[in-house]
Amino acid sequence: MAENPRKLVAERLVIASHNDGKVKEINELLEPYEIVIIGAKKLGLFDPEETGKTYAENAAIKARTAAVGSGLPALADDSGLDVVALGGAPGIYSARWAGSPRDFGRAMVRVEEELRKTGTEDFSARFVCVLCLAWPDGHEEIFEGEVRGRLTFPPRGKKGFGYDPIFIPNGHDMTFGEMEPDAKHAISHRADAFRKLKKACLEQF
Ligand code: IMP
């Protein structure tokens, strides 16, 4: 984070995602602030390809495209699962490991198979969420959130999404898939990144 982060003074903020679920979740996280949230799809904005090599690059590509296309500040996130013994994979490819149409059962089997192949006993992993807030003049603020934990197989729990059923956050016995959504949201990588964004850019609201 920059030493003097730019404050968000606009009343309207574009969420640079064409995923209605993500727009809704971000809307809820920003509910206490008097900001009108607009989804990129609603504005008919272009959905760019995620060609970056890092979470931050991908978040910036999405936020920049929406800020320039709308003339308004725009917020994007990029997230995924980093498995230590797999050198950080699936990482930015977390969604892509689920194939098309998305099948996270298959993606979790792949994570297990690749881990077993290495012969490792290190099942540590983390979820990462990087947020990029971009302005139409090119200014950007980036925030990274994480939650550390370990993987377990077979998957457990039906409450979450994606890789939640194989991830046990540190200090807990349940997987994210078994935890109540509020309990997960209190400690998640997304909550961590949003806490940092709010502190830096939204405190004045
Ligand atoms: P994105 O929409 O490009 O950020 O893709 C993120 C991908 O990472 C999702 O499709 C999930 O596979 C995975 N992921 C990110 N956050 C979570 C989470 O909280 N639980 C489970 N999987 C997650």
Side-chain angles (χ1 to χ4, degrees), residues 22 50 78-80 94-95 104 127 161 163-164 184 189-190:
K22 205 178 257 187
E50 297 181 21
D78 200 54
S79 57
S94 293
F104 282 97
F127 274 122
F161 71 98
Y163 297 88
D164 279 343
K184 177 190 165 184
H189 46 313
R190 209 160 280 110

Side-chain angles (χ1 to χ4, degrees), residues 17-28:
S17 172
H18 286 240
N19 176 334
D20 293 335
K22 205 178 257 187
V23 175
K24 182 170 174 279
E25 190 176 321
I26 294 178
N27 211 343
E28 284 162 11

Side-chain angles (χ1 to χ4, degrees), residues 17 19 22 25 50 55 58 62 77-81 90-98 102 104 107 127-130 147 160-165 167 176-177 184-185 188-190:
S17 172
N19 176 334
K22 205 178 257 187
E25 190 176 321
E50 297 181 21
Y55 294 110
N58 280 338
K62 292 184 267 189
D77 86 334
D78 200 54
S79 57
L81 177 72
I92 59 166
Y93 303 105
S94 293
R96 282 166 264 186
W97 275 31
R102 299 266 184 260
F104 282 97
F127 274 122
V128 180
C129 173
V130 174
V147 55
F161 71 98
Y163 297 88
D164 279 343
F167 183 83
F176 265 173
K184 177 190 165 184
H185 292 154
S188 79
H189 46 313
R190 209 160 280 110

Side-chain angles (χ1 to χ4, degrees), residues 92-137:
I92 59 166
Y93 303 105
S94 293
R96 282 166 264 186
W97 275 31
S100 178
R102 299 266 184 260
D103 176 355
F104 282 97
R106 199 164 83 185
M108 289 187 283
V109 166
R110 178 161 172 200
V111 172
E112 180 176 13
E113 282 173 357
E114 303 238 350
L115 262 178
R116 305 274 183 224
K117 258 193 265 169
T118 67
T120 185
E121 287 179 10
D122 178 9
F123 277 27
S124 56
R126 63 174 194 151
F127 274 122
V128 180
C129 173
V130 174
L131 292 170
C132 177
L133 181 55
W135 280 261
D137 69 359

